[in-house]
Amino acid sequence: MYIYMNGEVIRKEEARISPFDHGFLYGMGLFETFRVYNGHPFLLDDHLERLNRSLEAINIEGGYTREQVLEKLEMLLGKNGYHNAYIRMNVSAGNGEIGLQTDSYKNPNTIIFCKPLPPRSASAEKQAVMLEIPRNTPEGTERLKSHHYLNNILAKKEAGDDPSIEGIFLTRDGYLAEGITSNLFWIRDDCVFTPSLNTGILNGITRKFVIKLAGKLGLNVQEGMYRPEAVLGADEVFVTNSIQEIVPISSFDGHSMPGLSGKKTLEFQVHYENCCEHLWSRNEL
């Protein structure tokens, strides 16, 4: 497998970073994960908007345009021979001295990883289980998609390796937050519910897409502070992320849910499928 690193496409075995990279020493780094569908990087503009805003928030200089990233992706996907791929675009702060730095980082390291993905499948569903470990609070004013992933790793260790299980975080005050690698939604009548950003969750790109799509479909969307019992009366439940897309939930904390038979969840999936090979941003809906 080949990866992109600072202007070059190299074999993964050849990749090197310095131990003085503050992404390694202090977690000063960000990443975005997204899918390429038949050569098209779905919602790339939305991912870059979040990445560029987050870079500014942690004082890493530089930004990325669609054209710049497309050039990098073309090099990387061409070398690997992929048309459908998982992409992780990683930006770390770059080298510095031992010790915390307050000056801006001027020479970040950019690495893009990819791996092949099979064609889309809408046949998967998951069981949602409540985690004992609480969702930690963001390091700053909002949760960034950063290298600070220990809370998620410990949660995954608790939930186990079964891919059909998604652990659901609660806040320390007992409010629903998000999945280990996903955002949470449920539907009751013509209303879509999802935890508020005030719970400290990541504002996922697919989360924002679903909220926008729900409005286009004439559904009311409510973001708020909810206890787990709020989901038990739901008609349907699903989770979202940019790699697994929109995944129906077949049971929530031991309570049976429609899973794949949920009609509105299926409607969301169909619209997602119709968009994934051409949309650059949710704003094009």
Side-chain angles (χ1 to χ4, degrees):
M1 185 180 77
Y2 293 88
I3 69 170
Y4 172 93
M5 186 170 185
N6 295 333
E8 296 183 280
V9 173
I10 60 175
R11 292 187 180 275
K12 67 177 185 178
E13 296 83 5
E14 299 171 353
R16 301 288 185 273
I17 62 168
S18 168
F20 290 95
D21 186 326
H22 278 206
F24 167 73
L25 286 175
Y26 302 112
M28 289 293 290
L30 302 160
F31 69 100
E32 292 288 331
T33 54
F34 53 91
R35 287 184 68 152
V36 170
Y37 297 86
N38 197 25
H40 177 75
F42 183 48
L43 301 181
L44 177 61
D45 288 0
D46 290 351
H47 283 281
L48 294 181
E49 176 188 40
R50 181 172 67 181
L51 176 61
N52 289 333
R53 188 180 70 250
S54 299
L55 287 169
E56 184 177 358
I58 64 173
N59 223 15
I60 296 177
E61 293 189 6
Y64 300 84
T65 65
R66 181 201 297 182
E67 292 72 22
Q68 291 170 334
V69 174
L70 283 178
E71 182 180 7
K72 296 171 175 51
L73 288 176
E74 184 177 349
M75 293 168 56
L76 181 60
L77 294 171
K79 190 71 173 178
N80 283 292
Y82 300 156
H83 296 285
N84 295 284
Y86 162 106
I87 302 292
R88 172 173 167 140
M89 181 173 176
N90 198 89
V91 183
S92 61
N95 295 355
E97 299 299 325
I98 299 290
L100 302 183
Q101 179 173 320
T102 56
D103 292 339
S104 64
Y105 293 94
K106 300 184 181 344
N107 296 293
N109 286 313
T110 302
I111 305 174
I112 304 178
F113 306 86
C114 70
K115 60 183 179 181
L117 284 175
R120 297 181 62 258
S121 171
S123 62
E125 60 183 8
K126 292 194 174 193
Q127 301 175 59
V129 299
M130 297 297 102
L131 294 166
E132 292 186 9
I133 185 170
R135 191 57 167 130
N136 63 346
T137 55
E139 288 82 13
T141 57
E142 64 177 319
R143 188 174 299 280
L144 306 180
K145 199 169 179 68
S146 75
H147 289 184
H148 294 268
Y149 238 60
L150 183 58
N151 190 221
N152 302 67
I153 293 169
L154 294 175
K156 183 61 178 174
K157 188 174 181 180
E158 178 187 331
D161 289 331
D162 187 341
S164 69
I165 300 293
E166 177 68 338
I168 303 296
F169 282 113
L170 302 178
T171 69
R172 290 193 179 277
D173 295 325
Y175 293 105
L176 287 165
E178 60 188 338
I180 297 173
T181 58
S182 65
N183 288 119
L184 173 66
F185 291 86
W186 61 98
I187 302 170
R188 189 166 61 245
D189 298 325
D190 289 325
C191 190
V192 178
F193 299 87
T194 192
S196 166
L197 296 179
N198 292 331
T199 61
I201 62 174
L202 180 72
N203 193 4
I205 299 301
T206 309
R207 176 185 188 271
K208 291 191 282 189
F209 175 86
V210 165
I211 289 173
K212 184 86 170 181
L213 178 58
K216 292 290 184 179
L217 296 176
L219 300 172
N220 182 30
V221 179
Q222 292 191 22
E223 303 176 59
M225 309 293 287
Y226 303 106
R227 304 286 184 182
E229 52 267 27
V231 182
L232 301 184
D235 301 324
E236 303 174 40
V237 186
F238 61 90
V239 293
T240 63
N241 74 25
S242 294
I243 304 302
Q244 298 178 39
E245 306 169 342
I246 298 169
V247 183
I249 295 297
S250 60
S251 72
F252 184 89
D253 197 23
H255 298 267
S256 180
M257 293 292 169
L260 290 168
S261 63
K263 293 182 179 179
K264 286 190 171 67
T265 303
L266 176 60
E267 186 177 8
F268 278 118
Q269 290 178 316
V270 169
H271 281 279
Y272 191 102
E273 181 177 5
N274 290 337
C275 293
C276 65
E277 291 191 15
H278 68 272
L279 236 62
W280 296 100
S281 170
R282 69 190 184 282
N283 295 323
E284 296 172 6
L285 280 171

